[in-house]
Amino acid sequence: MSFEKKNLAICLTGQLRSWHICYENFIDKVYNHNKEHYNIYLFMAVPNREINKTDLYIDNIIYKTFVDDPNLKIPNFINAKGFGGIKDVGSVGGIKAAMYQLQNIYDTYTLLLDYEKSNNINFDIIMRVRNDVLFQTDICVNEYIDKINDNVLIIPSFASWTGVNDRFAIGNKNVMSIYMSMIKFANDYNNYPIFNLESLVTVILNNKKIKYFRSNKILFSLVRSNGKIYSEN
């Protein structure tokens, strides 16, 4: 029995510190487990680096490069001790690094929107994935499809700290349009007691009335630029 595939956009975000280590895992654990049911399009906005197509390793990634805005407005959060310092090569640390991360998510989303408009296509489901992670579990969108259709955002349950995990999400266009645009709302919480990025994401989602489901089946580890694997689950 044939069926019409829906369009799935996967937004790969972050600097290309360890993508050369992670891309095969992404293909194995994410791409290959969804390609039978979805037309998959990959998007990447690469900050602060000139790249060649070969640097992306996967031929069909739709990408652009850009330079972080030095004049990006940085909110002043109260009790922001959880934002931490410099964690890897190319990071500026603190609240500024978190805002650049949110800006990168939004830049990848605008790349997606431009592609929709130019190619007369609509993405039914959007996934946001950091490009510096190794998945320990297979990610199957259809496992969550009922929740996705009900406007529920799917996020991992681990590494929530004082809020929700800020590194991965799946949802339909309605909820992901908010999630991918969080940089536009960050300064609404100037002088709020925001401890870390996880708590900021939580506040934004709650105030925008976005329902979310924390899945304990979405597990991955971060990979630093030196190849060191950093696990929190």
Side-chain angles (χ1 to χ4, degrees):
M1 181 178 178
S2 63
F3 62 93
E4 183 177 354
K5 288 184 178 181
K6 291 187 175 182
N7 296 321
L8 167 64
I10 302 181
C11 296
L12 295 148
T13 64
Q15 299 192 44
L16 293 181
R17 297 189 186 105
S18 53
W19 177 237
H20 63 291
I21 299 172
C22 300
Y23 79 94
E24 289 180 328
N25 172 270
F26 166 78
I27 293 172
D28 180 42
K29 296 293 188 180
V30 181
Y31 190 92
N32 285 346
H33 285 278
N34 294 284
K35 65 181 182 180
E36 180 181 349
H37 297 283
Y38 295 92
N39 300 311
I40 301 177
Y41 296 75
L42 307 178
F43 296 90
M44 184 181 285
V46 182
N48 306 318
R49 176 176 170 180
E50 289 299 321
I51 62 170
N52 296 312
K53 187 72 172 176
T54 54
D55 294 323
L56 302 180
Y57 297 98
I58 301 175
D59 289 338
N60 60 340
I61 293 180
I62 301 154
Y63 74 98
K64 69 176 180 181
T65 60
F66 69 98
V67 177
D68 283 330
D69 180 3
N71 299 314
L72 183 67
K73 189 174 181 181
I74 309 300
N76 178 38
F77 298 136
I78 299 172
N79 191 34
K81 298 177 182 178
F83 281 91
I86 295 174
K87 298 178 181 179
D88 208 340
V89 174
S91 173
V92 296
I95 298 175
K96 189 172 186 178
M99 295 305 104
Y100 280 148
Q101 179 176 326
L102 295 185
Q103 182 64 50
N104 179 234
I105 293 171
Y106 182 65
D107 286 334
T108 312
Y109 182 56
T110 58
L111 179 62
L112 178 160
L113 294 178
D114 290 344
Y115 187 86
E116 278 189 324
K117 184 176 180 180
S118 298
N119 294 274
N120 193 28
I121 188 175
N122 182 64
F123 290 107
D124 306 285
I125 299 173
I126 300 171
M127 179 189 301
R128 178 255 168 159
V129 185
R130 281 182 59 142
N131 65 36
D132 60 350
V133 301
L134 292 175
F135 286 92
Q136 289 125 37
T137 52
D138 300 332
I139 308 301
C140 301
V141 171
N142 278 356
E143 184 172 348
Y144 307 100
I145 195 63
D146 289 341
K147 290 182 174 62
I148 290 171
N149 289 338
D150 197 32
N151 289 318
V152 175
L153 185 72
I154 310 301
I155 53 176
S157 61
F158 79 97
S160 297
W161 308 119
T162 57
V164 299
N165 185 297
D166 65 320
R167 302 168 190 173
F168 178 97
I170 313 171
N172 64 27
K173 190 82 170 288
N174 292 335
V175 297
M176 288 300 286
S177 63
I178 300 296
Y179 178 91
M180 300 295 287
S181 305
M182 289 187 291
I183 186 63
K184 297 169 68 175
F185 314 120
N187 279 282
D188 293 346
Y189 304 98
N190 200 42
N191 295 319
Y192 273 59
I194 303 293
F195 181 70
N196 55 17
L197 185 53
E198 290 85 355
S199 58
L200 175 62
V201 172
T202 306
V203 168
I204 292 174
L205 294 180
N206 288 343
N207 284 346
K208 295 296 180 181
K209 295 181 170 44
I210 301 298
K211 297 180 292 183
Y212 47 86
F213 172 75
R214 304 178 197 235
S215 172
N216 60 11
K217 297 180 180 180
I218 301 173
L219 299 172
F220 51 81
S221 301
L222 296 179
V223 182
R224 298 303 186 193
S225 58
N226 61 5
K228 183 177 180 180
I229 298 174
Y230 181 63
S231 180
E232 298 172 297
N233 51 65

